[in-house]
């Protein structure tokens, strides 16, 4: 009984969940908040947040990789937090231990934590998270939204299949077992145009957090992208910007033996990187953009179909060695690199691809 008054007890957990005589619980009784932290940069992250919201209600917090840990820390420090969902946010060598520490604190406070993702993860971290009873839903073969759908479909509307199919398309995962079944429910072209318009609205509103939250709400209310005002018009503007990007990449593109690369100054790196890959003729493309306020470069990396190396794993290690962080999928990943190290990153990355 002395137990739960002291803060750091090594293992207060017993086989029974509740002890019969409960000391006056300081925090647990007041915990009511449900929060979902999800990735804000693509349709998979936004759609995951929407389906979690539809299934469980609560607040959505949308983050990018540079802001990921800060946001998790902030939400975790909320004494009202009862239940936390973390979606489509991969971990890296740089932050994975801190992530486990934060989750451990939350679990000690009886906060329920569900982590749903499909990025490469260190097996040791999987064990650590299972040990502290974080509900881990992790499959590198289906996008996050499809996994959210599949795990919680009893709490979701029929429309959630469409949201999940769109997310699968945007993450190049509509050919996977569950993703492909969901896409088959719908007309392929209808799903493609919806997913694409949704994506362009997300990419074009990265500096407008209120709009991104509005998108989450609308999708959670089972709206189609075309039912959200001005989405197609906005997508048209984005498309014309991308067409200009093709010309710029053709001019500014540089190559090393194994990579095409380019610094982007006036748009997002992730919007340019596919053109860098395609127009360079190399099997790996790198686009990077300075985050002036952070003194870092946000780096996007893509591999062609021929690329047989797991780029996310290489980038995870290399970025960490250079004092940054990174990781992701085999053919699509990203990194945060300290500004003075970007040249080194490119040359070392090029070497590692030999
Ligand atoms: Mn994803």
């Amino acid at each position: 009984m002395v137990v739960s008054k002291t803060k750091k007890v090594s293992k207060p957990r017993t086989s029974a969940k509740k002890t019969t005589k409960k000391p006056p619980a300081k925090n647990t009784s007041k915990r009511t908040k449900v929060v979902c932290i999800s990735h804000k940069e693509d349709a998979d992250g936004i759609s995951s947040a929407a389906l979690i919201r539809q299934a469980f209600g609560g607040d959505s917090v949308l983050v990018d990789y540079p802001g990921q840990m800060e946001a998790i820390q902030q939400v975790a420090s909320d004494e009202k937090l009862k239940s936390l969902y973390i979606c489509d946010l991969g971990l890296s060598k740089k932050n994975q231990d801190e992530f486990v520490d934060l989750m451990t604190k939350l679990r000690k406070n009886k906060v329920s934590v569900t982590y749903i993702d499909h990025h490469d993860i260190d097996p040791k971290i999987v064990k650590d998270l299972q040990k502290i009873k974080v509900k881990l839903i992790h499959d590198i073969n289906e996008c996050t939204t499809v996994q959210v759908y599949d795990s919680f479909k009893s709490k979701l509307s029929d429309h959630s299949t469409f949201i999940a199919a769109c997310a699968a398309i945007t993450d190049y995962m509509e050919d996977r077992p569950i993703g492909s079944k969901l896409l088959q429910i719908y007309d392929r072209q209808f799903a493609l145009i919806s997913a694409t318009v949704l994506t362009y609205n997300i990419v074009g509103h990265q500096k407008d957090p209120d709009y991104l939250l509005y998108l989450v709400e609308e999708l959670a209310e089972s709206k189609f992208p075309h039912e959200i005002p001005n989405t197609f018009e906005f997508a048209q503007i984005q498309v014309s910007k991308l067409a200009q990007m093709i010309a710029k990449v053709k001019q500014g593109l540089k190559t090393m033996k194994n990579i095409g690369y380019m610094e982007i100054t006036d748009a997002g790196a992730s919007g340019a990187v596919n053109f860098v890959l395609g127009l360079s003729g190399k099997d790996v493309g790198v686009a990077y953009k300075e985050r002036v306020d952070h003194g870092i470069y946000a780096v996007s990396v893509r591999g062609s179909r021929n690329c047989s190396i797991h780029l996310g794993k290489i980038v995870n290690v290399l970025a960490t060695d250079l004092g940054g962080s990174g990781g992701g999928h085999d053919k699509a990943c990203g990194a945060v690199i300290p500004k003075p190290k970007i040249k080194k990153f490119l040359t070392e990355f090029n070497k590692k691809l030999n």
Side-chain angles (χ1 to χ4, degrees), residues 47-193:
S47 303
S48 297
L51 295 196
I52 292 291
R53 187 184 184 89
Q54 190 181 89
F56 303 103
D59 298 334
S60 313
V61 176
L62 301 171
V63 300
D64 57 10
Y65 279 103
Q68 174 188 17
M69 291 314 288
E70 207 183 311
I72 296 175
Q73 276 166 9
Q74 206 184 338
V75 171
S77 68
D78 187 339
E79 291 194 349
K80 292 248 163 86
L81 183 66
K82 179 187 165 200
S83 159
L84 176 62
Y85 296 85
I86 300 167
C87 297
D88 201 36
L89 288 166
L91 299 171
S92 69
K93 267 179 93 169
K94 172 97 182 277
N95 63 22
Q96 59 189 18
D97 293 322
E98 186 190 356
F99 183 79
V100 171
D101 287 348
L102 273 167
M103 295 307 118
T104 305
K105 277 182 201 146
L106 285 176
R107 295 296 301 130
K108 277 186 181 159
N109 285 324
K110 302 274 183 347
V111 177
S112 125
V113 180
T114 309
Y115 178 44
I116 311 157
D117 189 50
H118 64 133
H119 299 87
D120 184 53
I121 187 169
D122 187 334
K124 180 191 162 286
I125 299 300
V126 171
K127 274 190 192 158
D128 288 350
L129 292 175
Q130 283 167 342
K131 206 190 273 176
I132 57 172
K133 297 211 166 64
V134 164
K135 288 168 213 154
L136 186 65
I137 301 168
H138 194 278
D139 182 354
I140 56 164
N141 277 308
E142 300 280 359
C143 75
T144 305
T145 312
V146 165
Q147 295 184 68
V148 172
Y149 162 77
D150 198 50
S151 305
F152 307 119
K153 52 190 160 202
S154 65
K155 296 181 190 313
L156 292 166
S157 71
D158 285 349
H159 187 80
S160 64
T161 53
F162 186 71
I163 307 286
C166 287
I169 290 167
T170 344
D171 268 21
Y172 297 79
M173 300 191 104
E174 79 277 16
D175 59 344
R176 306 307 161 93
I178 307 172
S180 63
K181 278 202 178 123
L182 295 177
L183 180 55
Q184 273 171 36
I185 301 172
Y186 300 95
D187 174 77
R188 181 173 171 80
Q189 254 60 47
F190 178 69
L192 286 176
I193 197 167

Side-chain angles (χ1 to χ4, degrees), residues 294-311:
H294 290 88
I296 53 147
Y297 276 105
V299 183
S300 269
V301 179
R302 296 291 181 276
S304 73
R305 282 181 186 273
N306 298 329
C307 176
S308 54
I309 304 167
H310 196 298
L311 299 175

